[in-house]
mmCIF file of all heavy atoms in Angstrom:
data_model
loop_
_atom_site.group_PDB
_atom_site.id
_atom_site.type_symbol
_atom_site.label_atom_id
_atom_site.label_comp_id
_atom_site.label_asym_id
_atom_site.label_seq_id
_atom_site.Cartn_x
_atom_site.Cartn_y
_atom_site.Cartn_z
ATOM 1 N N PHE L 205 15.751 3.619 -4.550
ATOM 2 C CA PHE L 205 14.400 3.813 -5.079
ATOM 3 C C PHE L 205 13.753 4.992 -4.343
ATOM 4 O O PHE L 205 12.810 4.835 -3.580
ATOM 5 C CB PHE L 205 13.561 2.535 -4.912
ATOM 6 C CG PHE L 205 13.874 1.470 -5.908
ATOM 7 C CD1 PHE L 205 14.803 0.479 -5.616
ATOM 8 C CD2 PHE L 205 13.256 1.437 -7.143
ATOM 9 C CE1 PHE L 205 15.107 -0.515 -6.535
ATOM 10 C CE2 PHE L 205 13.546 0.447 -8.071
ATOM 11 C CZ PHE L 205 14.474 -0.529 -7.769
ATOM 12 N N TRP L 206 14.261 6.189 -4.588
ATOM 13 C CA TRP L 206 13.795 7.388 -3.900
ATOM 14 C C TRP L 206 12.595 8.033 -4.572
ATOM 15 O O TRP L 206 11.877 8.803 -3.954
ATOM 16 C CB TRP L 206 14.919 8.422 -3.805
ATOM 17 C CG TRP L 206 15.924 8.086 -2.770
ATOM 18 C CD1 TRP L 206 17.193 7.624 -2.972
ATOM 19 C CD2 TRP L 206 15.770 8.161 -1.355
ATOM 20 N NE1 TRP L 206 17.823 7.406 -1.774
ATOM 21 C CE2 TRP L 206 16.966 7.737 -0.764
ATOM 22 C CE3 TRP L 206 14.722 8.544 -0.518
ATOM 23 C CZ2 TRP L 206 17.156 7.688 0.616
ATOM 24 C CZ3 TRP L 206 14.912 8.493 0.853
ATOM 25 C CH2 TRP L 206 16.121 8.076 1.400
ATOM 26 N N HIS L 207 12.390 7.751 -5.834
ATOM 27 C CA HIS L 207 11.313 8.426 -6.569
ATOM 28 C C HIS L 207 10.016 7.632 -6.456
ATOM 29 O O HIS L 207 9.938 6.488 -6.887
ATOM 30 C CB HIS L 207 11.695 8.596 -8.049
ATOM 31 C CG HIS L 207 10.617 9.250 -8.850
ATOM 32 N ND1 HIS L 207 10.305 10.570 -8.711
ATOM 33 C CD2 HIS L 207 9.769 8.749 -9.777
ATOM 34 C CE1 HIS L 207 9.306 10.859 -9.525
ATOM 35 N NE2 HIS L 207 8.962 9.772 -10.180
ATOM 36 N N CYS L 208 9.006 8.248 -5.883
ATOM 37 C CA CYS L 208 7.670 7.647 -5.819
ATOM 38 C C CYS L 208 6.853 8.330 -6.913
ATOM 39 O O CYS L 208 6.482 9.499 -6.782
ATOM 40 C CB CYS L 208 7.050 7.869 -4.442
ATOM 41 S SG CYS L 208 5.407 7.154 -4.274
ATOM 42 N N SER L 209 6.601 7.613 -8.006
ATOM 43 C CA SER L 209 5.893 8.232 -9.132
ATOM 44 C C SER L 209 4.402 8.357 -8.869
ATOM 45 O O SER L 209 3.760 9.273 -9.368
ATOM 46 C CB SER L 209 6.151 7.468 -10.428
ATOM 47 O OG SER L 209 5.713 6.136 -10.310
ATOM 48 N N THR L 210 3.848 7.463 -8.077
ATOM 49 C CA THR L 210 2.461 7.552 -7.640
ATOM 50 C C THR L 210 2.185 6.442 -6.635
ATOM 51 O O THR L 210 3.022 5.558 -6.432
ATOM 52 C CB THR L 210 1.462 7.464 -8.827
ATOM 53 O OG1 THR L 210 0.165 7.873 -8.382
ATOM 54 C CG2 THR L 210 1.388 6.068 -9.404
ATOM 55 N N ILE L 211 1.023 6.505 -6.028
ATOM 56 C CA ILE L 211 0.535 5.432 -5.160
ATOM 57 C C ILE L 211 -0.860 5.097 -5.649
ATOM 58 O O ILE L 211 -1.701 5.990 -5.815
ATOM 59 C CB ILE L 211 0.504 5.846 -3.680
ATOM 60 C CG1 ILE L 211 1.912 6.173 -3.177
ATOM 61 C CG2 ILE L 211 -0.128 4.747 -2.828
ATOM 62 C CD1 ILE L 211 1.959 6.760 -1.772
ATOM 63 N N ILE L 223 -0.507 0.210 -3.753
ATOM 64 C CA ILE L 223 0.666 -0.117 -4.566
ATOM 65 C C ILE L 223 1.524 1.140 -4.680
ATOM 66 O O ILE L 223 1.077 2.162 -5.197
ATOM 67 C CB ILE L 223 0.272 -0.631 -5.965
ATOM 68 C CG1 ILE L 223 -0.705 -1.796 -5.841
ATOM 69 C CG2 ILE L 223 1.528 -1.041 -6.749
ATOM 70 C CD1 ILE L 223 -1.399 -2.166 -7.140
ATOM 71 N N TYR L 224 2.728 1.036 -4.154
ATOM 72 C CA TYR L 224 3.690 2.137 -4.211
ATOM 73 C C TYR L 224 4.548 1.932 -5.458
ATOM 74 O O TYR L 224 5.223 0.915 -5.584
ATOM 75 C CB TYR L 224 4.581 2.131 -2.962
ATOM 76 C CG TYR L 224 3.803 2.203 -1.680
ATOM 77 C CD1 TYR L 224 3.334 1.039 -1.057
ATOM 78 C CD2 TYR L 224 3.531 3.423 -1.073
ATOM 79 C CE1 TYR L 224 2.612 1.104 0.126
ATOM 80 C CE2 TYR L 224 2.812 3.494 0.106
ATOM 81 C CZ TYR L 224 2.352 2.328 0.693
ATOM 82 O OH TYR L 224 1.640 2.387 1.865
ATOM 83 N N HIS L 225 4.523 2.891 -6.358
ATOM 84 C CA HIS L 225 5.288 2.790 -7.594
ATOM 85 C C HIS L 225 6.585 3.575 -7.405
ATOM 86 O O HIS L 225 6.584 4.808 -7.411
ATOM 87 C CB HIS L 225 4.474 3.324 -8.771
ATOM 88 C CG HIS L 225 3.165 2.610 -8.923
ATOM 89 N ND1 HIS L 225 3.058 1.406 -9.590
ATOM 90 C CD2 HIS L 225 1.925 2.908 -8.478
ATOM 91 C CE1 HIS L 225 1.789 1.009 -9.557
ATOM 92 N NE2 HIS L 225 1.089 1.894 -8.884
ATOM 93 N N LEU L 226 7.664 2.836 -7.200
ATOM 94 C CA LEU L 226 8.969 3.429 -6.908
ATOM 95 C C LEU L 226 9.891 3.261 -8.103
ATOM 96 O O LEU L 226 9.797 2.268 -8.829
ATOM 97 C CB LEU L 226 9.581 2.754 -5.680
ATOM 98 C CG LEU L 226 8.693 2.712 -4.430
ATOM 99 C CD1 LEU L 226 9.347 1.859 -3.352
ATOM 100 C CD2 LEU L 226 8.409 4.109 -3.921
ATOM 101 N N ALA L 227 10.781 4.234 -8.293
ATOM 102 C CA ALA L 227 11.696 4.162 -9.433
ATOM 103 C C ALA L 227 13.112 4.490 -8.999
ATOM 104 O O ALA L 227 13.343 5.258 -8.062
ATOM 105 C CB ALA L 227 11.257 5.120 -10.534
ATOM 106 N N ILE L 250 4.308 6.627 4.528
ATOM 107 C CA ILE L 250 5.727 6.571 4.156
ATOM 108 C C ILE L 250 6.285 7.983 3.963
ATOM 109 O O ILE L 250 7.403 8.156 3.485
ATOM 110 C CB ILE L 250 5.965 5.718 2.884
ATOM 111 C CG1 ILE L 250 5.298 6.325 1.653
ATOM 112 C CG2 ILE L 250 5.537 4.284 3.121
ATOM 113 C CD1 ILE L 250 5.814 5.809 0.332
ATOM 114 N N ILE L 254 9.752 9.188 2.237
ATOM 115 C CA ILE L 254 9.648 9.833 0.927
ATOM 116 C C ILE L 254 8.595 10.936 1.046
ATOM 117 O O ILE L 254 7.389 10.682 0.873
ATOM 118 C CB ILE L 254 9.279 8.814 -0.174
ATOM 119 C CG1 ILE L 254 10.331 7.708 -0.237
ATOM 120 C CG2 ILE L 254 9.147 9.520 -1.524
ATOM 121 C CD1 ILE L 254 10.024 6.605 -1.238
ATOM 122 N N GLY L 256 7.582 13.204 -0.825
ATOM 123 C CA GLY L 256 6.764 13.407 -2.019
ATOM 124 C C GLY L 256 5.538 12.515 -2.082
ATOM 125 O O GLY L 256 4.651 12.718 -2.908
ATOM 126 N N ALA L 257 5.444 11.538 -1.202
ATOM 127 C CA ALA L 257 4.285 10.638 -1.184
ATOM 128 C C ALA L 257 3.066 11.285 -0.529
ATOM 129 O O ALA L 257 1.970 10.740 -0.605
ATOM 130 C CB ALA L 257 4.643 9.342 -0.455
ATOM 131 N N TYR L 260 -0.009 11.818 -2.828
ATOM 132 C CA TYR L 260 -0.552 10.539 -3.291
ATOM 133 C C TYR L 260 -1.339 9.845 -2.182
ATOM 134 O O TYR L 260 -2.398 9.275 -2.434
ATOM 135 C CB TYR L 260 0.556 9.621 -3.801
ATOM 136 C CG TYR L 260 1.350 10.201 -4.939
ATOM 137 C CD1 TYR L 260 2.737 10.207 -4.907
ATOM 138 C CD2 TYR L 260 0.735 10.744 -6.054
ATOM 139 C CE1 TYR L 260 3.483 10.731 -5.947
ATOM 140 C CE2 TYR L 260 1.467 11.277 -7.105
ATOM 141 C CZ TYR L 260 2.842 11.265 -7.040
ATOM 142 O OH TYR L 260 3.567 11.786 -8.082
#
Side-chain angles (χ1 to χ4, degrees):
F205 283 93
W206 284 107
H207 179 71
C208 180
S209 60
T210 194
I211 298 173
I223 306 167
Y224 303 88
H225 303 277
L226 307 173
I250 64 162
I254 301 177
Y260 301 130

